[in-house]
Amino acid sequence: MGRIFTWEEVAEHKVPQTTSFITVFEYLARELAEKEPIRDILVCGSMLRGEHNIRSDVDGLVTYRQEEEGEAIAALQEATIFANSLYVPLELIPVSIGEARLSLHDIKPAFANHLLWAEVTGIIKGHPLGLFRFDHMTTITADTRNYLKNKLGRLLKDWAAFPIMSEKEQCRALRKVVETPLRVARKVLETRGFNVHIHGKKRLVSSYCEMFGGELTKMLVRLQDVDQEYTNDLYDHVFNPNQTGYQTCIEKLKTAVPTVCQFVRLNLQMFVEPITNDLPPFPIS
């Protein structure tokens, strides 16, 4: 199991050596752990068991201070670039400290138990799992909350990996970015009893804005404008193609990523449960 390489990768020797995984681990301990916004680092997987091979990756968990999110993501990007220079896939899940404590994260119980096992030998910095709170919700509210947690986690992970994505991968990720605001609005409206299945895009946007107003409305409208601007630019380039101009359009979409992450986060905060003492700080396997 593991990666499937292209012929080009094989022919050009773009395949990691088994020792490269240890080099990446050492980089995380030497460089990433020294970054001030990074609070905890925990890696897991086959490398800890000595079972990794050239098809493996390095995955794990990183917690950071939300007020320094940009710096934390930049540090993860640097680590990703370094690992990629050795052809090692680095898959670290970024979670802010606040989201860990309020259970607004995307860590599933199965993976949490995987991380729990890895604590024996995989901790590089701190003690991340002590931060995490897990809860249980049901019904449509639970579904929406889980969707928002998953979406935020995926967006942050993609954001951190942007420097090493191919053009095709970036376009796939950017599609998720521009689709997210409306999908989030739809899911949240559904929890308020709004029948999202019989109304179009404009009605969804206007209904969301009427219901929530303020910063959320401004963000949603701005993000929908970004989406529409890209559509308009796309039509222009279909008839008058210009590679440099089109690349500028793609770069504009990338600038929306932080706003989309914040939009998801603010919606997610509507679903924070009161903190009680009857929930274990970490799931027991």
Side-chain angles (χ1 to χ4, degrees), residues 82-154:
F82 175 80
N84 188 65
S85 72
L86 299 174
Y87 311 115
V88 173
L90 182 61
E91 301 285 344
L92 297 177
I93 300 174
V95 181
S96 77
I97 295 171
E99 282 143 13
R101 288 173 172 165
L102 294 174
S103 190
L104 303 181
H105 53 80
D106 187 31
I107 307 299
K108 303 294 191 301
F111 187 60
N113 285 323
H114 187 51
L115 292 170
L116 184 62
W117 175 88
E119 274 200 310
V120 177
T121 55
I123 287 182
I124 292 178
K125 181 180 182 181
H127 183 70
L129 299 184
L131 284 175
F132 282 77
R133 177 175 177 268
F134 296 81
D135 59 14
H136 303 281
M137 297 178 67
T138 57
T139 72
I140 191 171
T141 299
D143 178 67
T144 299
R145 189 170 188 267
N146 288 334
Y147 169 82
L148 293 171
K149 288 196 295 185
N150 294 341
K151 180 59 67 176
L152 180 58
R154 183 70 257 178

Side-chain angles (χ1 to χ4, degrees), residues 18-216:
T18 53
T19 55
S20 298
F21 295 88
I22 304 302
T23 302
V24 171
F25 186 92
E26 292 172 345
Y27 174 91
L28 297 177
R30 183 181 68 252
E31 300 292 338
L32 187 61
E34 292 300 313
K35 303 296 184 182
E36 185 63 26
I38 303 296
R39 183 189 187 277
D40 306 281
I41 307 171
L42 171 63
V43 299
C44 58
S46 59
M47 186 181 67
L48 297 183
R49 300 188 297 270
E51 299 173 354
H52 65 285
N53 57 43
I54 61 173
R55 296 182 61 201
S56 298
D57 59 12
V58 176
D59 58 359
L61 175 70
V62 169
T63 66
Y64 62 90
R65 298 174 179 82
Q66 185 176 318
E67 62 272 18
E68 299 177 279
E69 181 168 84
E71 294 87 342
I73 295 296
L76 287 172
Q77 289 178 340
E78 291 176 8
T80 303
I81 291 171
F82 175 80
N84 188 65
S85 72
L86 299 174
Y87 311 115
V88 173
L90 182 61
E91 301 285 344
L92 297 177
I93 300 174
V95 181
S96 77
I97 295 171
E99 282 143 13
R101 288 173 172 165
L102 294 174
S103 190
L104 303 181
H105 53 80
D106 187 31
I107 307 299
K108 303 294 191 301
F111 187 60
N113 285 323
H114 187 51
L115 292 170
L116 184 62
W117 175 88
E119 274 200 310
V120 177
T121 55
I123 287 182
I124 292 178
K125 181 180 182 181
H127 183 70
L129 299 184
L131 284 175
F132 282 77
R133 177 175 177 268
F134 296 81
D135 59 14
H136 303 281
M137 297 178 67
T138 57
T139 72
I140 191 171
T141 299
D143 178 67
T144 299
R145 189 170 188 267
N146 288 334
Y147 169 82
L148 293 171
K149 288 196 295 185
N150 294 341
K151 180 59 67 176
L152 180 58
R154 183 70 257 178
L155 287 170
L156 288 169
K157 190 174 181 181
D158 284 350
W159 185 10
F162 252 98
I164 65 158
M165 286 184 177
S166 67
E167 183 178 5
K168 184 176 181 179
E169 289 170 333
Q170 286 193 4
C171 288
R172 188 181 297 120
L174 287 171
R175 175 180 174 177
K176 295 176 184 177
V177 169
V178 297
E179 288 178 344
T180 289
L182 194 61
R183 290 186 175 182
V184 167
R186 181 180 289 112
K187 296 284 284 187
V188 172
L189 284 172
E190 199 171 14
T191 67
R192 300 299 197 271
F194 185 83
N195 191 339
V196 299
H197 303 291
I198 63 174
H199 298 293
K201 176 179 176 179
K202 290 184 178 180
R203 177 65 189 280
L204 285 173
V205 172
S206 63
S207 296
Y208 182 92
C209 293
E210 290 171 6
M211 188 169 293
F212 298 105
E215 183 179 2
L216 286 170

